[in-house]
Amino acid sequence: MAQSNHLDNRRDQMFPTLTMADMARVARFGQLRRYSAGEWVVRTGEAGMGMLLVLTGEVAITQRDSLGHRTPIVIHGPGQFMGEVGQLSGRPALVDAQAQSEVEAVEVSPPQLRALLIAEADLGERLTRAFILRRVGLIETGASGATLIGHPGAGPVLRLRNFLGRNGFPYQLLDPNESEDARTVAAQYMQDGTELVVLCPDGAVLVNPTDDEVARCFGMVDSRERPDLFDVVIIGAGPGGLSAAVYAASEGLSVLVVDCRAYGGQAGASSRIENYLGFPTGISGQALAGRAFVQAQKFGADMLIPAKVTRMSCQRDGDQRELRLSLEDGRTIRTRTAVIATGARYRRPAIDDLPRFEGRGIFYWASPIEARVCQRQTVVLVGGGNSAGQAAVYLANHASKVIILVRGPGLAETMSRYLIDRIKSTSNIELIPHQEICRLEGGSTLEAVTWRDRRSGQERRLATQHLFLFIGAEPETDCVVDCGLELDKSGFIITGRACECSLTTYEPTLLESSVPGVFAVGDVRAGSVKRVGGAIGEGAQVVASIHQYLARETQAV
């Protein structure tokens, strides 16, 4: 009975009916639309319209996958509305909507929808909750979005599932061994070593596609030109970047966030963060990042994910008071300031055949997808930081045994105490200090790992198909190397008084780099604490420095 009540309450929040007063509040932000019986309001894959509030008549909402299967979701009547989180930024629709009778409705465009959520706080809270729950529902059912054909343990399948999951994009995976539809597709397209086929809404078929090809196929990539001059462009959508986006956008700055893969950064792959303020029972990195992602869009931050910055020009010759960012697809972005929040990546140790096994037994994150593949098996995890500890504890709930290898004598100097205690109390986790990986074996996938004791030189070989690497960190600064930012000996961006500013009479603020107007927050910054809370704090703090810089530039003109 309690479970039934919970589901009923969730559905009420997902599909609420607005009062006449609330409908009037919404109507102030939209324009009237009329549809005849049988007319399509929107089809899967078409540009999203924002929010549609039904005044009279009924609209049927259904999910349609790439194989043509339909699943009814709900029928919206008077006082109910269409829309989910993707409509905050006008992303393509993930559902079909068809008028069941003569319909009169109010359409609220994405910009006006964001204005509504801010201006009408209590109503905006209910609308936002409904939008989030609807996206969650689409992800859970998997009846819309991407259709993947392949074996669950195949490397390309794991990679793409992680990419879609990290971006909060719904998908369904069909195994040719279990699905007749999948067998039909596999018979036609999965030849000559093909491991993955993706079906697009427009009928296109992608064979062994890249993440970028899939993103374009499903309209995840925003290819619109952005000729305007932004107040701030944030490179990187991890905790620091998203925090900066929320605070900058909420204070009226024009904000663009660019990330080459997904929102959340390394933290987005954390199974559970238990020492973040305000969440006594913990929260997954994906959930925390997802909330921040929606929050930033609510305040008007423009999101370009996935999109890759290949170069940033920091020349400010003559009257030019702007920075220019070049994207991989050829577009140029203009901005008055930039925040580098690109974070750090795990190091790839110098081991023969390492690239060959990446995604085929070697992983740099531990999401539910990898955990399911490791069910009741022995896995090896290398690393002694908090991310490694969180991954080990999470994997221990699925694997029969987790072996942690560290180069040093233990975990005390690199890991939070609560994680060390959790690891000690978990019976199927074994910690082995003073070890380093020396050999990998396998054919098309990883089959065995050998490690060496750094003191005695003794080696141990273990047959395993799963190796997780959380080794140190290297700064992600490739896109800004041409800017002349001062870096420390490890390549992290130096900020504040510690750096030598490119202008002799200019003193950088605490998070400002050696180039005026270019800031750094989070793991990419030299001296940062390498914690989620620290990155979020720096993201909030940097906005004051941006305001200070922009005010100074305005006075100088």
Side-chain angles (χ1 to χ4, degrees), residues 22-34:
D22 287 338
M23 293 168 67
R25 295 160 75 184
V26 172
R28 294 192 302 112
F29 293 85
Q31 50 188 324
L32 196 62
R33 290 281 186 262
R34 290 185 174 86

Side-chain angles (χ1 to χ4, degrees), residues 99-432:
Q100 300 297 287
S101 60
E102 296 290 328
V103 171
E104 190 173 78
V106 173
E107 180 185 328
V108 184
S109 67
Q112 285 298 101
L113 176 56
R114 296 192 294 267
L116 165 63
L117 298 182
I118 294 171
E120 302 285 352
D122 61 326
L123 176 59
E125 179 182 350
R126 282 178 279 150
L127 297 178
T128 301
R129 183 181 297 112
F131 294 153
I132 292 173
L133 288 174
R134 290 175 184 181
R135 175 57 70 97
V136 171
L138 292 173
I139 292 171
E140 289 177 347
T141 60
S144 62
T147 299
L148 284 55
I149 309 293
H151 300 292
V157 174
L158 290 171
R159 184 204 76 233
L160 186 55
R161 293 181 70 189
N162 185 277
F163 171 74
L164 294 171
R166 292 281 298 275
N167 278 286
F169 194 84
Y171 69 90
Q172 63 173 332
L173 172 63
L174 300 179
D175 186 344
N177 291 333
E178 299 179 2
S179 165
E180 184 61 38
D181 287 334
R183 276 193 292 274
T184 301
V185 174
Q188 184 173 359
Y189 295 100
M190 299 187 74
Q191 309 293 331
D192 302 322
T194 297
E195 296 181 278
L196 172 64
V197 172
V198 176
L199 308 181
C200 302
D202 62 0
V205 178
L206 304 180
V207 177
N208 280 344
T210 64
D211 293 349
D212 184 66
E213 289 171 337
V214 172
R216 293 183 183 280
C217 159
F218 288 94
M220 296 169 61
V221 176
D222 185 340
S223 58
R224 291 182 294 118
E225 293 291 340
R226 286 169 171 76
D228 296 338
L229 178 65
F230 287 92
D231 291 324
V232 56
V233 169
I234 300 166
I235 308 175
L242 290 174
S243 173
V246 167
Y247 283 95
S250 68
E251 294 181 16
L253 298 178
S254 58
V255 179
L256 175 68
V257 181
V258 186
D259 195 290
C260 65
R261 182 166 174 79
Y263 60 82
Q266 279 190 18
S270 295
S271 56
R272 183 155 299 275
I273 303 169
E274 295 189 58
N275 61 348
Y276 185 66
L277 186 68
F279 293 90
T281 60
I283 184 172
S284 72
Q286 180 70 15
L288 184 64
R291 294 179 185 188
F293 180 66
V294 173
Q295 191 175 18
Q297 291 180 87
K298 166 187 166 182
F299 286 118
D302 195 353
M303 297 289 178
L304 264 181
I305 304 173
K308 185 176 183 179
V309 177
T310 56
R311 183 176 184 273
M312 185 168 75
S313 172
C314 294
Q315 290 295 118
R316 297 180 188 263
D317 299 329
D319 295 332
Q320 181 179 319
R321 313 303 296 176
E322 63 187 50
L323 305 167
R324 292 179 181 266
L325 284 73
S326 301
L327 302 185
E328 192 173 48
D329 61 11
R331 285 179 290 174
T332 298
I333 303 297
R334 302 162 55 235
T335 182
R336 301 169 71 187
T337 66
V339 175
I340 312 303
T342 46
R345 57 181 177 266
Y346 292 115
R347 291 195 182 100
R348 284 162 165 76
I351 306 173
D352 291 342
D353 289 331
L354 180 69
R356 181 160 68 91
F357 293 120
E358 289 180 329
R360 301 175 183 273
I362 292 181
F363 307 100
Y364 298 92
W365 53 78
S367 75
I369 298 169
E370 288 75 36
R372 283 193 291 269
V373 175
C374 297
Q375 200 75 27
R376 295 184 296 277
Q377 299 183 48
T378 297
V379 305
V380 178
L381 186 149
V382 183
N386 273 12
S387 295
Q390 290 161 356
V393 170
Y394 177 65
L395 290 171
N397 293 320
H398 302 269
S400 60
K401 186 173 185 178
V402 177
I403 297 174
I404 302 178
L405 306 179
V406 294
R407 290 172 58 87
L411 303 172
E413 295 184 1
T414 56
M415 189 179 292
S416 295
R417 187 74 238 175
Y418 83 93
L419 281 170
I420 295 175
D421 293 340
R422 185 75 53 77
I423 287 170
K424 285 182 178 179
S425 64
T426 305
S427 60
N428 62 334
I429 297 181
E430 178 185 1
L431 173 66
I432 310 179

Side-chain angles (χ1 to χ4, degrees), residues 54-73:
V54 179
L55 301 179
T56 63
E58 292 184 331
V59 177
I61 311 298
T62 57
Q63 290 176 280
R64 172 170 52 88
D65 66 20
S66 302
L67 293 165
H69 301 144
R70 293 183 177 277
T71 304
I73 299 177

